[in-house]
Amino acid sequence: MTEILFKEILFNKLDELKKEAIASFAGVRSEEELYALKVRYLGKKGLLTDILKDLGNVGAEVRPVIGARANELKGELEETYERQSRELKNRKIQAELEAENVDVTLPGTPVSWGRAHPINRVLSEMKAIFREMGFTICEGPEIETDFYNFEALNIPKDHPARDMQDTFYLGGPIGGNVGAYCNTPLLLRTHTSPVQIRVMQKQKPPIQMVSPGVVYRRDADVTHSPMFHQIEGLMVDRHITMAHLKGVLEVFLRKIFDPDIKLKFRPSFFPFTEPSAEVDIECMFCEREGGICRVCKGSGWLEIMGCGMVDPAVFKFVNIDPKIYTGFAFGIGVERVAMLKYGINDIRLFYENDLRFLEQF
Ligand code: DAH
């Protein structure tokens, strides 16, 4: 009787355990949870083992019956566990695949194109034209000495030409001495002409170079900026004449502006050239402006550059014999060329970095 009762009790316990376990396995959400359930029901110290501990107390006749029932349950639970485990793994893979899914029909991320600044564009064009004519490209420092910027270019201390090129002096009072390494004051160069001197000191004729770069002056209005760009040119050899100067500059201006452009050479003065000239090109704004053109003020001509034959006094500073060699030099404002080429009426537009302006080039 007790045997039968015992069997009943164990069967009941096993049935309860089965119900509970099946319900728990069905509600499982993660592999960790599933593993914890496996340990809880099927582990060495799990609930099933716990029930079977009492098996020793039942008689030999019922023991196999209960044992068989317990094994059956064990098998069922193991199968449930395996099934759930596969199911969870599949779900995980599916979720990963969905997350990685690339929608090739979505619009791409736009790439905004960079472009050269108009000044650099014009500068590159200018350099390319001179390179084609056999000029090499040299560079000089933006911080110069008084000697290179003025003195060696035949602009002595009290020369009135200095007034037009007032600049930013470095290190102490205007004209002050800036240290033992340099016995002439330092300043921000006012033009690229000092590169002529530097090149002639290092290299003997024949010389044929252009030197682009930044220059500084105490100037600021719609056509003048305290910082702007120039290209300097220098050609020195035996028998160089004004005809070479005119030929080179004419080719340059026709290439950079228009093959049919009208130009004129007008006598002028620069301390480092003799004779000196300024070159004017015909005004291309007159038609657009109508009436009296504001750009050329009705004259029909626009000044574009300074030039001349290298003054013998300059040659003396660099130990080139003016009885043997002659040469020409020129200096062009790059902003001015860009303004005329693109019809820009305010120099400050180049430096404001307004994309609406820059994107037009
Ligand atoms: N350096 C002059 C200036 O900035 C421009 C110039 C004029 C340069 C005549 C030259 C030249 O080489 O020959 O105003």
Side-chain angles (χ1 to χ4, degrees):
M1 188 62 198
T2 25
E3 285 291 299
I4 296 174
L5 199 64
F6 225 88
K7 184 180 130 196
E8 280 301 303
I9 292 172
L10 281 179
F11 267 29
N12 273 346
K13 275 191 176 177
L14 289 173
D15 281 348
E16 286 297 309
L17 186 71
K18 179 177 171 176
K19 259 196 242 159
E20 187 200 308
I22 298 281
S24 304
F25 276 122
V28 86
R29 297 258 180 81
S30 68
E31 289 186 84
E32 292 75 30
E33 257 180 69
L34 182 65
Y35 185 73
L37 289 181
K38 186 184 180 187
V39 173
R40 177 178 162 80
Y41 295 108
L42 298 164
K44 268 192 203 144
K45 294 178 185 168
L47 293 177
L48 189 59
T49 322
D50 228 24
I51 296 172
L52 295 180
K53 267 189 207 149
D54 294 337
L55 214 54
N57 300 333
V58 295
E61 328 78 77
V62 280
R63 209 181 291 159
V65 188
I66 298 172
R69 183 71 173 262
N71 268 337
E72 197 186 311
L73 178 57
K74 193 176 171 210
E76 262 180 72
L77 292 186
E78 274 170 357
E79 214 175 277
T80 312
Y81 168 81
E82 292 299 335
R83 197 173 352 100
Q84 284 294 71
S85 174
R86 276 196 305 273
E87 175 81 1
L88 281 175
K89 279 200 182 92
N90 281 344
R91 255 191 263 159
K92 196 172 158 196
I93 292 172
Q94 201 58 36
E96 272 172 13
L97 283 177
E98 269 164 32
E100 280 174 15
N101 211 354
V102 176
D103 183 351
V104 291
T105 64
L106 283 176
T109 318
V111 177
S112 51
W113 290 91
R115 63 194 79 207
H117 188 278
I119 293 299
N120 279 325
R121 248 177 86 146
V122 170
L123 207 47
S124 306
E125 271 185 56
M126 292 167 88
K127 285 194 283 189
I129 297 170
F130 286 117
R131 227 186 269 123
E132 267 178 32
M133 288 193 276
F135 285 79
T136 54
I137 293 173
C138 299
E139 286 193 7
E142 287 172 32
I143 294 177
E144 261 303 0
T145 64
D146 186 277
F147 174 78
Y148 285 106
N149 196 79
F150 294 124
E151 209 80 23
L153 286 161
N154 202 26
I155 313 173
K157 286 270 171 331
D158 301 318
H159 198 286
R162 286 204 182 200
D163 292 348
M164 285 185 293
Q165 299 199 8
D166 201 5
T167 183
F168 303 89
Y169 289 84
L170 299 151
I174 291 180
N177 196 327
V178 234
Y181 57 91
C182 159
N183 55 15
T184 121
L186 290 180
L187 44 85
L188 295 184
R189 66 177 179 189
T190 58
H191 49 179
T192 42
S193 302
V195 187
Q196 290 185 34
I197 306 298
R198 290 183 175 274
V199 169
M200 287 191 286
Q201 273 182 338
K202 279 214 200 97
Q203 191 189 325
K204 291 304 151 205
I207 294 169
Q208 195 183 358
M209 69 92 185
V210 287
S211 182
V214 173
V215 301
Y216 304 84
R217 291 200 196 166
R218 250 184 98 257
D219 269 345
D221 60 41
V222 287
T223 51
H224 295 88
S225 154
M227 182 228 61
F228 59 104
H229 298 74
Q230 287 188 333
I231 270 200
E232 191 76 17
L234 177 70
M235 187 162 177
V236 183
D237 203 351
R238 290 165 195 265
H239 315 301
I240 297 289
T241 69
M242 196 93 184
H244 297 111
L245 166 66
K246 280 190 80 178
V248 165
L249 294 181
E250 212 175 301
V251 168
F252 166 74
L253 291 168
R254 293 196 190 290
K255 285 208 171 182
I256 197 84
F257 289 111
D258 177 0
D260 299 320
I261 201 157
K262 281 202 201 106
L263 21 121
K264 72 173 178 190
F265 286 74
R266 183 166 41 77
S268 183
F269 172 81
F270 297 101
F272 37 91
T273 45
E274 182 60 35
S276 304
E278 274 171 277
V279 186
D280 295 345
I281 56 172
E282 71 182 309
C283 178
M284 53 275 262
F285 296 103
C286 286
E287 221 168 285
R288 188 179 86 182
E289 291 276 317
I292 293 179
C293 169
R294 277 177 307 167
V295 185
C296 69
K297 301 188 179 74
S299 73
W301 295 98
L302 293 166
E303 178 197 320
I304 189 82
M305 63 202 286
C307 61
M309 300 304 292
V310 180
D311 196 303
V314 173
F315 280 142
K316 292 229 170 93
F317 276 104
V318 291
N319 286 325
I320 289 180
D321 187 347
K323 286 195 217 77
I324 304 176
Y325 295 106
T326 52
F328 68 78
F330 57 88
I332 314 168
V334 180
E335 277 78 355
R336 188 155 180 98
V337 172
M339 288 170 85
L340 296 178
K341 210 169 150 65
Y342 298 124
I344 296 161
N345 56 9
D346 188 337
I347 196 169
R348 291 169 294 200
L349 286 166
F350 290 126
Y351 315 114
E352 281 166 358
N353 285 336
D354 186 333
L355 288 180
R356 289 169 302 179
F357 171 74
L358 296 175
E359 279 173 353
Q360 295 176 60
F361 299 93

